[in-house]
């Protein structure tokens, strides 16, 4: 075994530093892994499932109706929430008799297991905000409540693309 030279140590340090910078760049701007915490997105997502979140997409365009997004909780930016986009800026939203109406049209929600129990008055979603709901409507803190309200686009972190864990649950969310 030979001795390690200063040049070899320098090469190792630069390689490790480059790998760390690349990993941080990818996690900050391109993709992040997310663990589902709680039942608010059942039956679509289960507690402790692992997701791949696309952070790059919303640099190119805004979230669209039906997409599942990760966002910073408006009252505590250290917490992340996951919900489905129901309406976008300029849309009207109304919930009555267990049905959700977007732009006066009933939203067909085959991803929920129970109708929405609470009514929500007909309201226009402000520009640069979203109206989001969990798929498990009876057990979801979402835009229907003042703690979340209309979600500012600046709080959106990314789009949930697919479940990768546990292996038997692997599927695309698009």
């Amino acid at each position: 075994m030979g001795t390690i030279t200063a040049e070899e140590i320098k090469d190792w340090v630069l390689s490790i530093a480059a790998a760390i910078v690349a990993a941080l760049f990818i996690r900050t701007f391109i993709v992040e892994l997310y663990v589902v915490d709680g039942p608010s997105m059942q039956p679509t997502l289960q507690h402790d499932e692992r997701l791949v979140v696309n952070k790059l997409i919303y640099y190119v365009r805004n979230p669209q109706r039906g997409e599942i997004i990760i966002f910073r909780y408006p009252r505590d930016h250290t917490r992340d929430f996951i919900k489905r986009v129901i309406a976008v800026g300029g849309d009207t939203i109304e919930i009555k008799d267990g049905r959700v109406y977007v732009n006066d049209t009933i939203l067909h929600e085959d991803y929920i297991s129970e109708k929405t129990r609470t009514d929500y008055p007909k309201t226009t979603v402000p520009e640069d905000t979203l109206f989001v709901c969990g798929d498990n409507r009876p057990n979801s803190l979402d835009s229907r409540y003042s703690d979340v309200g209309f979600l500012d686009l600046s709080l959106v972190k990314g789009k949930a693309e697919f479940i990768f864990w546990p292996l038997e649950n692997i599927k695309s969310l698009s």
Side-chain angles (χ1 to χ4, degrees), residues 76-141:
D76 179 358
H77 290 190
T78 64
R79 295 176 59 197
D80 290 339
F81 274 29
I82 183 166
K83 304 292 178 206
R84 186 180 300 274
V85 177
I86 301 299
V88 299
D91 287 343
T92 59
I93 181 78
E94 181 179 20
I95 302 172
K96 65 181 178 184
D97 302 324
R99 298 202 181 272
V100 177
Y101 295 81
V102 176
N103 301 324
D104 298 318
T105 302
I106 292 176
L107 184 63
H108 297 285
E109 300 181 287
D110 57 352
Y111 44 80
I112 64 172
S113 57
E114 278 188 61
K115 287 184 178 180
T116 304
R117 294 181 187 164
T118 55
D119 286 348
Y120 189 87
K122 187 173 184 177
T123 307
T124 299
V125 179
E127 291 299 326
D128 299 320
T129 69
L130 305 169
F131 189 92
V132 297
C133 288
D135 290 356
N136 183 359
R137 299 291 161 74
N139 193 5
S140 177
L141 178 59

Side-chain angles (χ1 to χ4, degrees), residues 2-12:
T3 60
I4 299 174
T5 66
E7 189 65 31
E8 289 172 319
I9 292 172
K10 177 182 166 191
D11 288 345
W12 274 99

